[in-house]
Amino acid sequence: MGNPQHVARMRFVYGSDDDELRAMLSESLAPRSQDFLLDLAMPLLTHESRLLDIGCRDARHLIPLVTRSRCTGVGIDPVDRNVDRARAAVAAAALDQRIEIRHGVLEQIEESDSSIDVIWCRDVLESIPDLRAGLSEVARVLRPGGAAVIYTVFATPRLEPREAAALSQPLGAVQQNLERQWVEEAFEQAGFRVERLEEIGTEFREYDEERTRPVSDGLLRLARLRRRREEVIRRFGKEKYDLSEASLQWLAYLLLGKLEPVAYVLRLP
């Protein structure tokens, strides 16, 4: 019968009836959707609040926050395309009188001291070269007692060092900012206390995957990208290839638990 230990292992691997386990893993765990972050921010806002969205992209979060709370908002982003799209979305929502969109970065916010009530900052901290200086700027523009809703992503032990390096450079991420201890120490140094912490884990990705399967679609695109590597590099350049590969892997790593999203509500004294 050959090696008894190996045979026993093969019987365990291939001879078990795993129907019950498969059925268990087919059940949804009722993951939270990304709208949970909006719900996290809403109790902090009133119609008198001034909200600042740092890295607003196309105002996809700023618009519902302003609409639901009836506050006024400012969105800043360093990317021309994002600023143009955000302004168009604000105009389409008829919110020009309540939302201002302009160019800006976290490290240098063109707002007066203590002029903002609530800050929304999603998927930005990962790419800030001087995180401590940036968070000090956030604290400067917040009024005493003001709050910041921060969503960021950390590396977990499942993320191999080579994987982290392959992600960081193409995406403009700072590897140190993927370390949870470093980021939380930066919060404290800037004068913030953590009022609320929410471990998101894989939930947002599970929620979307159960409905529209974006990670599955991304993995299919990643396979095609790699099969056509030489053609893509020839047509679009190596830098664009590396960016596409890293972007597609990032989404998958969130679902695999190699990257761990965490949401914070920070408060100034």
Side-chain angles (χ1 to χ4, degrees), residues 32-236:
R32 293 172 290 186
S33 77
Q34 297 183 54
D35 286 345
F36 168 76
L37 296 179
L38 301 178
D39 296 335
L40 197 62
M42 284 306 300
L44 308 171
L45 294 165
T46 72
H47 71 280
E48 297 178 339
S49 299
R50 193 156 186 263
L51 169 68
L52 173 63
D53 183 349
I54 300 173
C56 67
R57 293 190 285 180
D58 58 1
R60 67 185 64 178
H61 308 122
L62 182 56
I63 289 173
L65 286 169
V66 168
T67 300
R68 289 168 61 177
S69 68
R70 297 182 293 114
C71 71
T72 57
V74 177
I76 62 173
D77 199 287
V79 180
D80 292 345
R81 180 171 180 264
N82 286 347
V83 170
D84 292 342
R85 294 171 67 195
R87 286 173 175 166
V90 168
L95 290 171
D96 304 77
Q97 302 303 310
R98 288 165 56 195
I99 295 179
E100 177 188 1
I101 303 294
R102 60 174 183 259
H103 290 85
V105 295
L106 180 145
E107 304 95 315
Q108 189 174 358
I109 302 171
E110 295 182 2
E111 292 289 337
S112 303
D113 294 359
S114 304
S115 60
I116 299 296
D117 298 294
V118 178
I119 282 178
W120 171 279
C121 183
R122 176 171 177 174
D123 290 316
V124 173
L125 297 194
E126 300 93 333
S127 60
I128 302 302
D130 190 341
L131 181 62
R132 292 189 172 185
L135 288 171
S136 294
E137 181 71 348
V138 171
R140 178 187 68 80
V141 301
L142 268 180
R143 65 168 176 78
V149 179
I150 305 285
Y151 171 92
T152 194
V153 172
F154 299 123
T156 74
R158 293 189 178 97
L159 188 71
E160 298 293 334
R162 287 196 306 171
E163 293 175 328
L167 285 179
S168 298
Q169 197 281 328
L171 295 174
V174 178
Q175 277 193 252
Q176 190 173 34
N177 295 356
L178 298 179
E179 298 174 11
R180 182 166 182 165
Q181 182 177 347
W182 162 255
V183 172
E184 292 185 347
E185 287 175 355
F187 291 157
E188 184 178 358
Q189 187 182 60
F192 289 105
R193 65 175 174 85
V194 177
E195 182 174 272
R196 184 171 175 181
L197 185 155
E198 291 286 341
E199 308 276 1
I200 305 301
T202 60
E203 285 191 68
F204 291 174
R205 296 275 58 89
E206 289 178 47
Y207 182 94
D208 289 344
E209 196 67 13
E210 288 176 1
R211 289 156 179 80
T212 58
R213 300 191 179 278
V215 176
S216 299
D217 181 65
L219 288 172
L220 181 57
R221 291 174 185 272
L222 179 61
R224 292 168 177 163
L225 175 77
R226 288 174 170 169
R227 287 185 66 192
R228 303 179 72 175
R229 182 177 188 277
E230 299 304 322
E231 179 187 355
V232 171
I233 292 174
R234 185 174 65 253
R235 292 180 59 185
F236 304 101

Side-chain angles (χ1 to χ4, degrees), residues 248-264:
L248 292 167
Q249 288 180 116
W250 183 277
L251 200 63
Y253 287 172
L254 288 168
L255 186 60
L256 290 171
K258 289 175 178 279
L259 296 171
E260 176 185 43
V262 177
Y264 297 89

